[in-house]
Amino acid sequence: FLLTMVNFSNKERADMIQIFYECKKKVDIPGQHIGKSFQIDVYQHITFKRLLDSLKLKGKFPDGKHDPQNRLNTKKENIENQIFMYFVENQHASIRDASTSLNMSYSCVQRTLKKHKWHPFKITLFLLTMVNFSNEERADMIQIFYECKKNSRHSRAAYREKFPDRRLPSHMTFIRLLDSFKLKGKFPDGKHDPQNRLNTKKENIEKKIFTYFVENQHASIRDASTYLNMSYSCVQRTLKKHKWHPFKITLVQQLRIGDSERRLSFIQWLINKKDLEPLIFNNILWTDESKFMTNGILNRHNAHYWTDENTHWMRESKFQTFSGINVWCGIIGNQLIGPHLYNGTLTAQKYLKFLQNTLPILLENVPLATRQNMYFQQDGCPAHNVHIVRNYVNNTFSGKWIGTHSSIPWPPRSPDLTCLDYFLWG
């Protein structure tokens, strides 16, 4: 306890308070004035101030008794002062750093900060280079960016040359300024935009999906969802949004060496003939043969039987023995010629007999003007290329026929050029 205060009587201490007020609370003067009367040293002049503080705090002069609560409060205040002094000097430090440096527990430091409502405020990230520029500076950047044809590095060099006294932005600042201006219609203000962050996340997901399908164009949606660790519906919805479709493969006839040149020659003849005869396509008799078998393939996807109960509809298939029939058919203009049925393999004799006896009868319903200007077409079937057949066709159609050994060569393996293959036979 303070010995200098306790050893004085209450009368002496009252006189000290009186003189302290008379001297306007100046601690160095009272000690000099009353040092002779009270027989105290000059260095003890602080006693006057302590007497007044004790009187204000407790309402009485100090009695020399020990106060444990006061001592505990003083210790807590010292601890808190140490903690606050540490964080004032190290504002970016963590609680764990402070507890290690001050040799205190983590909970003690945390409890002290929470008691006085000190919070670890998070840093706010924003585009420093764009926000710190004035609107006038950013307008000049946009102007120079357009003058340099949107080349960011040339724009940076031009900006440095034109405004040497200004801060020099990075080349990416020009691009970001223009993007922000196009997207929001204003320059960036440094404020956080949650919707923009969400849109950026969606764009990144869509980019991953499109990149996957560009690299794997034959993959399925399920393959993509498994590889990218996304839901099936997310991938499907993204593709549908941007109108991407799973186009099916188209099967075409195999071509051999030399087929392409013959196809081009035939098509060029058709184009030239169309200029001379605009109705040439209505005057060509397209012909073909096809064989229908009893073991045809049934597409179960298109076979339905609608009822409220299962009737166990069945059809026999996969016959051990099967038969078939050959069919000849022709098309001229919008008129179907035939069909004509014949049994067995088509031979040159059968085909010649058909041309001599059956074909004239089938053409009776065709107008005379059409028959006089008609071109007869046949494909490269072996029965068509025998000499007796070629001689008969030459004599009957006078060079106006299309075939393998004709003056108008028919290109082999070209089912896409005759309407019977891609239309009638299906």
Side-chain angles (χ1 to χ4, degrees):
F1 53 89
L2 297 173
L3 181 65
T4 55
M5 291 193 290
V6 174
N7 287 351
F8 290 106
S9 65
N10 288 334
K11 184 177 183 302
E12 290 175 328
R13 287 184 284 195
D15 293 336
M16 291 181 195
I17 292 294
Q18 180 182 354
I19 294 173
F20 191 41
Y21 274 112
E22 290 175 355
C23 295
K24 300 180 181 179
K25 300 180 182 179
K26 293 183 179 180
V27 294
D28 55 340
I29 298 176
Q32 296 175 4
H33 279 69
I34 66 170
K36 297 178 181 180
S37 303
F38 294 103
Q39 297 179 355
I40 60 174
D41 296 329
V42 175
Y43 69 86
Q44 292 176 329
H45 61 266
I46 195 65
T47 304
F48 294 90
K49 187 176 184 305
R50 290 173 178 164
L51 275 173
L52 183 60
D53 291 341
S54 177
L55 192 63
K56 287 182 177 179
L57 183 63
K58 300 181 180 181
K60 62 179 181 178
F61 293 123
D63 51 6
K65 294 181 180 180
H66 175 62
D67 187 356
Q69 185 63 35
N70 184 46
R71 185 175 180 182
L72 181 62
N73 291 339
T74 304
K75 184 178 179 181
K76 284 184 178 179
E77 289 176 1
N78 292 336
I79 292 173
E80 290 178 354
N81 288 337
Q82 290 181 27
I83 294 172
F84 291 132
M85 286 298 298
Y86 179 83
F87 278 104
V88 167
E89 296 174 356
N90 306 276
Q91 293 182 332
H92 304 301
S94 64
I95 297 178
R96 195 166 301 281
D97 295 336
S99 64
T100 304
S101 177
L102 300 175
N103 196 20
M104 300 179 186
S105 66
Y106 182 94
S107 58
C108 174
V109 179
Q110 187 183 43
R111 189 168 54 248
T112 302
L113 295 175
K114 187 177 181 180
K115 173 184 175 183
H116 295 275
K117 298 181 180 180
W118 279 45
H119 303 285
F121 295 102
K122 301 298 181 182
I123 188 171
T124 302
L125 301 177
F126 60 92
L127 297 174
L128 181 66
T129 55
M130 292 195 287
V131 175
N132 284 359
F133 287 106
S134 65
N135 290 334
E136 181 182 357
E137 291 174 328
R138 289 183 281 196
D140 292 335
M141 292 180 200
I142 294 292
Q143 179 182 353
I144 292 175
F145 193 40
Y146 275 112
E147 290 175 356
C148 295
K149 299 179 179 181
K150 298 182 180 179
N151 188 314
S152 58
R153 297 191 184 276
H154 292 175
S155 301
R156 186 172 186 268
Y159 187 87
R160 177 172 53 193
E161 183 178 351
K162 189 173 182 179
F163 303 104
D165 298 332
R166 291 185 181 179
R167 290 173 299 168
L168 184 63
S170 67
H171 72 97
M172 286 301 298
T173 304
F174 295 88
I175 300 174
R176 290 169 182 160
L177 276 174
L178 185 59
D179 290 343
S180 177
F181 197 65
K182 286 181 177 180
L183 183 64
K184 301 180 181 179
K186 62 178 182 179
F187 292 123
D189 51 9
K191 295 180 180 179
H192 176 62
D193 188 358
Q195 185 62 36
N196 185 44
R197 185 177 180 182
L198 181 62
N199 292 338
T200 304
K201 185 178 180 181
K202 287 183 178 179
E203 289 175 2
N204 292 336
I205 292 174
E206 291 179 353
K207 284 181 181 178
K208 288 182 180 179
I209 294 172
F210 290 131
T211 302
Y212 177 81
F213 278 104
V214 167
E215 296 174 354
N216 306 275
Q217 294 181 331
H218 303 300
S220 65
I221 296 178
R222 197 166 300 281
D223 294 336
S225 65
T226 303
Y227 181 82
L228 299 174
N229 196 21
M230 300 178 185
S231 66
Y232 182 94
S233 58
C234 175
V235 180
Q236 186 183 44
R237 188 167 54 248
T238 301
L239 295 174
K240 186 177 180 181
K241 174 185 174 183
H242 295 276
K243 298 181 180 179
W244 278 46
H245 305 284
F247 295 100
K248 301 298 182 182
I249 188 172
T250 301
L251 302 179
V252 297
Q253 176 70 46
Q254 178 196 14
L255 297 179
R256 297 180 182 177
I257 298 175
D259 289 351
S260 299
E261 290 77 7
R262 296 188 65 175
R263 284 167 62 87
L264 290 173
S265 300
F266 177 74
I267 293 171
Q268 188 61 49
W269 173 84
L270 274 179
I271 294 173
N272 296 336
K273 202 67 177 176
K274 187 176 182 300
D275 294 336
L276 301 175
E277 301 178 26
L279 300 177
I280 180 64
F281 291 102
N282 293 331
N283 294 330
I284 297 178
L285 175 59
W286 306 95
T287 69
D288 195 17
E289 298 90 8
S290 183
K291 189 171 185 178
F292 293 87
M293 308 295 294
T294 57
N295 65 339
I297 298 173
L298 174 66
N299 186 355
R300 297 179 68 247
H301 182 75
N302 297 327
H304 306 287
Y305 193 108
W306 290 95
T307 181
D308 57 347
E309 294 182 1
N310 188 358
T311 59
H312 301 286
W313 181 34
M314 288 183 263
R315 174 178 169 175
E316 295 179 347
S317 64
K318 298 182 180 179
F319 303 99
Q320 289 185 341
T321 59
F322 52 87
S323 59
I325 189 170
N326 292 302
V327 181
W328 177 97
C329 209
I331 293 179
I332 182 168
N334 58 358
Q335 189 173 355
L336 182 65
I337 309 300
H340 173 69
L341 309 180
Y342 59 93
N343 295 320
T345 305
L346 181 63
T347 61
Q349 289 74 18
K350 285 184 180 180
Y351 187 60
L352 180 61
K353 186 178 180 180
F354 163 77
L355 293 176
Q356 293 172 341
N357 302 326
T358 307
L359 183 59
I361 298 173
L362 296 175
L363 294 175
E364 286 181 353
N365 294 328
V366 178
L368 181 60
T370 303
R371 280 184 284 170
Q372 289 176 346
N373 298 315
M374 184 179 69
Y375 286 81
F376 179 76
Q377 180 270 336
Q378 61 181 12
D379 58 17
C381 176
H384 300 171
N385 296 328
V386 180
H387 285 285
I388 56 175
V389 175
R390 286 157 47 188
N391 293 334
Y392 175 80
V393 175
N394 272 325
N395 295 331
T396 304
F397 297 102
S398 303
K400 296 179 68 175
W401 67 283
I402 304 169
T404 304
H405 299 285
S406 169
S407 58
I408 308 171
W410 173 254
R413 291 167 289 280
S414 299
D416 56 325
L417 297 181
T418 170
C419 51
L420 286 99
D421 276 308
Y422 66 77
F423 169 71
L424 182 62
W425 307 135

